[in-house]
Amino acid sequence: MQQALKLAEQAAEEDEVPVGAVVVSDGRLVGRGYNQREQGKDATLHAEMSAIRQACATLGGWRIPRATLYVTLEPCPMCAGALVNARIERLVYAAPDPKAGAAGTVMNIVEHPVLNHRLQVESGLLAEESAALLRAFFARKREKQKKAAAPKQEETDSSIAEE
């Protein structure tokens, strides 16, 4: 999870939502990724999706047996579905996602009884560090938006004062 957290920090440095993920299979790191949706202008460039793609390339197939995916934020429905499709054995996520979590918080795709594969799920590993990184990122975003809006408000205020 430490490596996933470092990738999340890299995402934040690149002004991406700070989420990082790594895939470990048979004790070896086979995939890694972090959010790159803004840079890539691609809705599928979530940390988990990038880590899964790299793991598939490393292992030479679409199934990722005996693997654990470590991610700093609970996967969304798209990523949860990809984990099921890749036949990943275990998911370990740090912080829950109360808006889009699909590993038990909002819905539970990864353990859904109708699907042909289910994952073991663990949560909470480095949860506070991951949540703090996300909170700080969004606080900076809100502050930037306030500052960007402030000059426009000042212009409007001064033009009204001149009338």
Side-chain angles (χ1 to χ4, degrees):
M1 189 62 80
Q2 286 287 350
Q3 290 187 37
L5 194 56
K6 285 185 192 317
L7 290 166
E9 290 166 355
Q10 184 175 346
E13 289 170 14
E14 296 177 19
D15 205 27
E16 296 279 355
V17 174
V19 178
V22 296
V23 177
V24 176
S25 180
D26 290 330
R28 134 179 174 230
L29 180 68
V30 294
R32 47 187 287 160
Y34 60 92
N35 278 0
Q36 294 180 296
R37 291 186 312 173
E38 299 299 329
Q39 294 173 60
K41 299 186 183 352
D42 182 340
T44 68
L45 287 177
H46 287 204
E48 301 94 323
M49 299 296 284
S50 295
I52 290 167
R53 281 187 192 109
Q54 192 175 84
C56 289
T58 300
L59 297 173
W62 62 268
R63 290 179 188 89
I64 308 172
R66 299 172 306 282
T68 298
L69 182 127
Y70 296 88
V71 63
T72 58
L73 182 65
E74 181 182 4
C76 72
M78 173 183 67
C79 295
L83 293 168
V84 170
N85 283 322
R87 308 300 195 268
I88 289 184
E89 185 176 306
R90 184 169 154 243
L91 165 66
V92 179
Y93 69 85
D97 185 347
K99 293 185 178 178
T105 300
V106 175
M107 63 190 77
N108 198 345
I109 292 173
V110 298
E111 295 177 315
H112 199 284
V114 174
L115 298 177
N116 65 345
H117 178 73
R118 284 169 283 296
L119 286 74
Q120 299 167 19
V121 178
E122 296 174 35
S123 63
L125 183 61
L126 298 181
E128 186 48 44
E129 294 86 340
S130 296
L133 186 60
L134 285 158
R135 281 192 301 272
F137 175 81
F138 286 112
R140 281 192 306 275
K141 283 287 206 194
R142 285 189 296 277
E143 191 59 35
K144 271 187 192 177
Q145 287 174 341
K146 268 190 206 175
K147 286 181 181 178
K152 292 177 185 170
Q153 184 62 42
E154 288 172 15
E155 290 170 18
T156 304
D157 292 347
S158 65
S159 66
I160 292 171
E162 292 170 6
E163 293 176 3

